Amino acid sequence: EKIEQIELISKIVPKYSLTEGLSEKIYSKIINNVFDKMPNIEEWHDSKFIKKMNFLSWKDSVKKLHDSKIEKDLNSNYLRRLAYDEIFANLLFHSNNRNKIKKIKKNKKIFKKIYSSKLKRVLPYTLTNGQNEIIDEIETDLMSPQRMFRILQGDVGSGKTIVSIMAALDVIESGYQCGLMAPTAILAEQHFLLFKELIEKTNLKLNFSLLTGKTSLSERKIILANLKNNKINFLIGTHALFQKKINFNKLGLVIIDEQHKFGVQQRINFAKKGGANCDVLLMSATPIPRTMMMSIYGDMDTSQLTEKPTQRKKIITLSKPENKVDDLWGFIEKKIAKNEQIFWVCPLIEESKKLDFSSTVKIFKLLNKKFNNKVGVIHGALDQEEKEEVLKKFLTNKISILVSTTVIEVGVDFPNATVMVVENANKFGLAQLHQLRGRIGRGDKPGTCILMFKNQLSQNARKRIQILKSSDDGFFIAEEDMKLRGYGDIIGFKQSGIKLFKIADPIHHEDLFKLAEINISNLNDEELNHDKYKFLLKLFDKVELVNEEGISS
């Protein structure tokens, strides 16, 4: 054992994550043995392209990557070669999947836009050009003989929900049923109440229900029976909607809100309920950079809502040192007197639930003393039902201030909330701060977002504030966030369980993403499925099962 340790010390060896009982020396021997026996693999890229890019062969690139004497450089020809392979494999998989989806034939949905036109007439505002364009795109998909598989990506408050309701009305008019799935009961309930309010204004005689974990057993039985007998046009709910016992009679459209909170398999199970005739619309309020969009949703049609509705109020963003917190009390008192509400957000301390709990409760106690039992708190020790109970109190204006780390139920509207105070704002990413800011100013009053900082601002923190003050475009902010923090930390990614790239880096290798996109778009069906790519797909775990609908599982 000592001799082995001396040998390891005397020379540079690559460091690997090891299984218990396996030494570095044994593992190095295995690696060297693999390299000795590694065959020369047939090239999957065109020789002219390889020469033009100054790429090494795959075999030589892998050898250099494992060579401890060579310092790793993201811009080296061997690492760029492997990064390009990984990007190419990812986009190739999505292209093949997309083609499979496009080949699925469905019955065209026939409607004259009577229902959706009635809704347009009763809306208290005019739809934006962006909303109208996306409604046209979705209607074209619905009337097409190909199955729709589209993601509607919109910035906070850009009006995605009304677009999805328009689509649902077209589908109901065509004689099919719709299902809308939201990640939490409170969000599902809010969608249900909005739909109810709008439909009552149109005088349309539609049957719709809400199904969540809170639905009573007797009510649930009635809903299931009505659903099976085609007596329900639209079912809104949580993940309860895709349980096996729930059978739609003629499901024609699945709408999945905040889709990154659901697993891929969950959304497939839901879409399967309608078979080939069921169109799928995903919605997300998490703008992400284009390179990541290609990598995650490359098998889908994409619609982006960037324009804010005219009724959305401006939000002023300010920064303040934490020791000047006393300056806020008078401002908050005035807001409460005007019946306005305040979010007070603390950063999540992932390393310690005790610290997390104590920091949130500490602020809660301070505010509760100052504002006389008008404060609610949400922390990690509460279960989902208790959290939703506090959110409901805030929603119904029974409390004026909400202290929380997990307050930001994306999509839930709190129309009276006009102030957002963020503690330790430097602990949040740019995209996260933008999402937080989007929770206020959703009613008829403008909003104020106050970013609190512990110490003197770092150069990075100053940049963040400047970007937030200068822009309310979530897509621009997401790009800047990726540059400042690296792509692994962007909001929504870690929660969604998305496998990040092992070699490629969407910031450093942006040019390779664009190149791979162009090269794949120039390949026909036969070329996309060429045998030479099979090994490449295996290398990067892209040989995944594709179910009969053509959606990757």
Side-chain angles (χ1 to χ4, degrees):
E1 197 180 313
K2 277 184 181 175
I3 293 164
E4 189 179 291
Q5 285 172 352
I6 291 162
E7 279 181 15
L8 283 173
I9 292 163
S10 65
K11 63 178 181 177
I12 301 165
V13 290
K15 186 80 181 157
Y16 298 99
S17 300
L18 299 173
T19 306
E20 198 179 338
L22 191 64
S23 72
E24 286 281 1
K25 189 178 180 185
I26 293 166
Y27 196 72
S28 290
K29 271 183 185 172
I30 295 166
I31 291 283
N32 291 331
N33 202 23
V34 169
F35 283 141
D36 289 342
K37 292 179 180 175
M38 194 184 280
N40 286 311
I41 295 148
E42 185 196 343
E43 185 55 76
W44 40 77
H45 300 305
D46 182 75
S47 57
K48 284 179 188 170
F49 175 72
I50 293 283
K51 197 175 177 183
K52 183 186 166 189
M53 296 297 292
N54 193 28
F55 282 165
L56 300 182
S57 69
W58 179 81
K59 182 181 174 180
D60 289 342
S61 297
V62 172
K63 278 189 168 182
K64 287 211 169 193
L65 183 69
H66 286 265
D67 191 337
S68 55
K69 297 183 199 82
I70 300 170
E71 201 175 323
K72 301 299 165 273
D73 175 9
L74 281 169
N75 296 314
S76 63
N77 57 355
Y78 69 88
L79 213 145
R80 275 174 66 81
R81 156 73 208 238
L82 295 172
Y84 182 79
D85 279 343
E86 185 173 27
I87 297 159
F88 191 88
N90 182 289
L91 300 188
L92 181 68
F93 169 70
H94 281 312
S95 290
N96 280 324
N97 218 15
R98 186 188 178 89
N99 286 353
K100 285 188 176 85
I101 294 161
K102 291 290 175 195
K103 280 175 187 169
I104 297 166
K105 295 296 170 204
K106 67 163 203 234
N107 295 331
K108 297 178 186 180
K109 292 184 173 71
I110 300 159
F111 50 89
K112 292 178 181 174
K113 308 181 191 180
I114 296 165
Y115 289 13
S116 54
S117 296
K118 274 192 175 183
L119 178 58
K120 254 188 191 180
R121 284 198 290 273
V122 299
L123 287 175
Y125 50 82
T126 309
L127 295 176
T128 63
N129 292 334
Q131 285 172 313
N132 282 318
E133 280 168 21
I134 290 168
I135 289 165
D136 287 345
E137 284 175 356
I138 292 169
E139 286 175 340
T140 303
D141 282 352
L142 296 173
M143 292 187 273
S144 146
Q146 294 174 332
R147 193 177 186 197
M148 174 172 80
F149 201 51
R150 182 175 289 277
I151 180 157
L152 168 54
Q153 212 195 1
D155 204 350
V156 280
S158 57
K160 295 179 302 300
T161 309
I162 201 71
V163 170
S164 69
I165 288 174
M166 289 282 185
L169 289 178
D170 287 331
V171 170
I172 293 164
E173 190 190 327
S174 74
Y176 283 88
Q177 294 170 301
C178 284
L180 187 153
M181 182 165 66
T184 62
I186 195 165
L187 186 51
E189 196 176 327
Q190 199 160 53
H191 282 319
F192 176 77
L193 293 171
L194 173 67
F195 189 73
K196 186 171 184 274
E197 184 192 325
L198 292 171
I199 295 308
E200 279 169 2
K201 286 179 184 173
T202 63
N203 292 320
L204 286 167
K205 302 289 175 248
L206 301 182
N207 294 315
F208 46 95
S209 296
L210 176 70
L211 182 68
T212 69
K214 292 179 180 177
T215 308
S216 69
L217 207 61
S218 55
E219 206 180 334
R220 185 185 162 89
K221 276 183 181 175
I222 296 164
I223 290 171
L224 295 193
N226 286 342
L227 204 61
K228 208 170 180 180
N229 298 325
N230 211 7
K231 287 178 183 170
I232 288 177
N233 305 115
F234 196 8
L235 184 62
I236 298 166
T238 52
H239 59 280
L241 265 66
F242 59 77
Q243 288 169 355
K244 280 181 182 175
K245 288 177 186 175
I246 294 161
N247 294 307
F248 288 81
N249 181 292
K250 199 180 177 184
L251 183 61
L253 175 66
V254 162
I255 301 162
I256 303 177
D257 196 12
E258 286 316 312
Q259 72 81 32
H260 70 268
K261 293 194 178 181
F262 296 103
V264 175
Q265 196 57 54
Q266 286 177 315
R267 70 181 187 230
I268 290 164
N269 289 348
F270 196 24
K272 269 184 181 178
K273 286 182 180 290
N277 284 321
C278 182
D279 290 302
V280 180
L281 178 66
L282 307 184
M283 296 198 293
S284 176
T286 308
I288 59 172
R290 191 170 172 275
T291 47
M292 297 312 288
M293 195 70 193
M294 287 156 55
S295 311
I296 299 157
Y297 303 117
D299 55 346
M300 305 184 75
D301 290 317
T302 306
S303 296
Q304 281 191 345
L305 263 180
T306 51
E307 193 180 352
K308 299 278 195 302
T310 47
Q311 73 272 15
R312 280 286 288 184
K313 301 295 174 189
K314 263 281 180 210
I315 298 164
I316 299 160
T317 304
L318 308 168
S319 57
K320 213 163 189 53
E322 208 176 64
N323 55 15
K324 298 262 181 84
V325 71
D326 290 351
D327 296 356
L328 298 182
W329 307 138
F331 172 71
I332 286 168
E333 266 169 20
K334 282 177 191 169
K335 291 288 178 186
I336 292 171
K338 289 181 187 172
N339 206 29
E340 294 177 34
Q341 291 173 291
I342 296 98
F343 284 118
W344 201 289
V345 184
C346 310
L348 183 66
I349 303 165
E350 287 177 359
E351 306 82 52
S352 167
K353 280 193 175 177
K354 279 185 183 175
L355 268 176
D356 194 21
F357 175 85
S358 63
S359 68
T360 315
V361 171
K362 194 177 163 185
I363 287 162
F364 165 69
K365 283 178 178 171
L366 168 74
L367 292 171
N368 212 25
K369 265 186 196 172
K370 291 197 175 290
F371 300 104
N372 193 23
N373 298 322
K374 289 181 178 174
V375 189
V377 63
I378 290 175
H379 49 69
L382 300 178
D383 63 32
Q384 189 59 31
E385 211 163 294
E386 288 170 314
K387 285 175 187 175
E388 288 196 10
E389 198 53 48
V390 179
L391 276 174
K392 216 163 204 176
K393 278 186 183 175
F394 192 63
L395 199 55
T396 51
N397 221 344
K398 286 176 183 159
I399 51 175
S400 300
I401 303 174
L402 182 59
V403 180
S404 173
T405 52
T406 54
V407 64
I408 328 311
E409 284 298 340
V410 174
V412 179
D413 271 347
F414 299 92
N416 288 316
T418 60
V419 179
M420 167 75 63
V421 180
V422 185
E423 290 275 341
N424 283 1
N426 45 307
K427 297 243 174 113
F428 293 88
L430 254 183
Q432 242 176 330
L433 290 171
H434 177 65
Q435 289 277 323
L436 289 167
R437 182 171 64 175
R439 298 297 97 216
I440 57 171
R442 295 175 85 91
D444 55 2
K445 301 178 191 88
T448 310
C449 178
I450 301 161
L451 307 174
M452 307 290 289
F453 289 87
K454 259 195 188 325
N455 306 311
Q456 289 294 311
L457 294 181
S458 68
Q459 204 176 344
N460 222 340
R462 277 204 182 91
K463 273 185 198 169
R464 278 193 204 152
I465 290 178
Q466 207 40 54
I467 291 161
L468 281 170
K469 284 180 176 177
S470 68
S471 175
D472 64 350
D473 176 351
F475 293 95
F476 166 76
I477 287 167
E479 290 282 353
E480 294 302 307
D481 197 27
M482 187 164 79
K483 287 171 195 169
L484 286 171
R485 284 158 62 88
Y487 77 98
D489 281 336
I490 293 171
I491 187 171
F493 282 87
K494 286 185 176 175
Q495 301 95 305
S496 61
I498 291 164
K499 286 180 190 173
L500 299 173
F501 290 100
K502 295 179 178 80
I503 300 167
D505 185 293
I507 303 164
H508 291 282
H509 298 135
E510 191 181 2
D511 62 317
L512 298 181
F513 276 86
K514 288 174 182 172
L515 200 57
E517 187 182 26
I518 293 162
N519 289 344
I520 281 178
S521 67
N522 289 331
L523 297 176
N524 60 35
D525 255 23
E526 198 182 322
E527 287 166 331
L528 282 170
N529 288 291
H530 199 286
D531 281 351
K532 67 180 178 180
Y533 294 131
K534 282 182 182 172
F535 182 67
L536 173 66
L537 289 168
K538 270 186 186 174
L539 275 174
F540 294 103
D541 302 322
K542 295 297 170 197
V543 180
E544 299 178 42
L545 291 171
V546 175
N547 66 20
E548 62 271 24
E549 274 86 27
I551 306 167
S552 60
S553 54

